[in-house]
Amino acid sequence: MRLAALIIALAAPLAAAAAPLPLLVEERARDHLGPTLPDRAEFEIGFAGNPPQEAALIAEFWMDPASGRFVANAIDDGGGLHRVSGLAAVMVPLPVPNRRLMPGEIVTAADLDELRLPQARLGAYAVIEPEAVIGMQVRRMLPEGRPVMVQSVMQPLVIERGDEVSIHFADGALRLKAPGRALSDAHRGQDVRIVNTSSNTTLTGIATAEGIVEVSR
């Protein structure tokens, strides 16, 4: 009687903690892969054979990061051990154009759909976050339905050669403005050569917005 009572007492907490087996495997897979996982990564868990639908915990877990294949020891709510195996595929949702985008176009949210692809199929330079492509200018043609490469987009052109610009100079509390003219094109955040039309002095500054160049000492 004492042994039976002890088993029941130990099994009761396990039963209360039972969770879907795919969820438990995903938790262990995320811990196993750690910082190599993209922030938006999702998992598709597949099992070999007929494993239990729920388990109280995963006692041991082994996984091949390259293939996603795993083997685990799952403990059911009765304390029984089940050896389970399968595939934990890492899927990444990423923005893809819903139409062909040509060089010079500015990408908007309406130009993008979301596509889930296995992480193994993504190149090292694929854009994963929509915020990293919305508002950017197309540098190389973007095919419909294909991942966007980092080098295929750039900050928008905010100054063109010959444009009249406002030169902003800051040195501590000192703030000055002067009229100028751009001597080259520039994207946001890019260096640009300008001439101060008041003093006829040539300067180099940073294009911070449309028609605005900041110069520091």
Side-chain angles (χ1 to χ4, degrees):
M1 290 294 292
R2 290 181 180 178
L3 180 58
L6 179 60
I7 292 174
I8 293 173
L10 292 174
L14 293 177
L21 186 59
L23 178 61
L24 296 177
V25 169
E26 178 178 337
E27 290 175 352
R28 295 299 294 268
R30 286 186 178 275
D31 289 342
H32 187 82
L33 296 175
T36 64
L37 276 178
D39 291 340
R40 305 179 74 219
E42 302 170 355
F43 279 85
E44 289 185 358
I45 310 295
F47 294 94
N50 297 300
Q53 293 185 352
E54 293 187 336
L57 59 92
I58 300 291
E60 286 92 19
F61 185 83
W62 303 269
M63 182 178 181
D64 175 18
S67 66
R69 298 190 180 279
F70 68 88
V71 178
N73 287 335
I75 309 298
D76 63 29
D77 55 7
L81 185 146
H82 302 265
R83 176 62 66 90
V84 298
S85 62
L87 182 67
V90 180
M91 305 297 291
V92 181
L94 71 166
V96 297
N98 54 30
R99 64 180 180 88
R100 180 182 297 179
L101 297 176
M102 303 305 294
E105 290 192 70
I106 303 299
V107 183
T108 69
D111 295 322
L112 302 174
D113 287 336
E114 185 175 270
L115 179 67
R116 295 173 75 251
L117 288 177
Q119 185 181 17
R121 287 181 53 190
L122 296 182
Y125 300 103
V127 176
I128 295 176
E129 300 294 337
E131 294 77 11
V133 66
I134 294 174
M136 300 290 277
Q137 186 173 357
V138 178
R139 174 182 287 168
R140 302 173 186 169
M141 188 270 289
L142 303 180
E144 179 181 350
R146 299 288 297 277
V148 177
M149 297 295 107
V150 172
Q151 62 269 29
S152 296
V153 293
M154 59 187 175
Q155 290 288 345
L157 194 69
V158 292
I159 292 175
E160 294 187 27
R161 181 177 180 178
D163 281 354
E164 293 184 356
V165 298
S166 176
I167 303 171
H168 292 203
F169 175 82
D171 184 9
L174 179 64
R175 299 286 189 275
L176 297 174
K177 291 183 181 180
R181 186 177 71 256
L183 301 178
S184 60
D185 297 343
H187 301 277
R188 186 182 297 117
Q190 186 178 17
D191 287 348
V192 58
R193 293 183 68 247
I194 52 176
V195 59
N196 183 328
T197 52
S198 295
S199 63
N200 203 33
T201 302
T202 300
L203 305 167
T204 298
I206 297 176
T208 58
E210 188 170 351
I212 297 177
V213 178
E214 290 191 359
V215 176
S216 58
R217 185 173 63 177

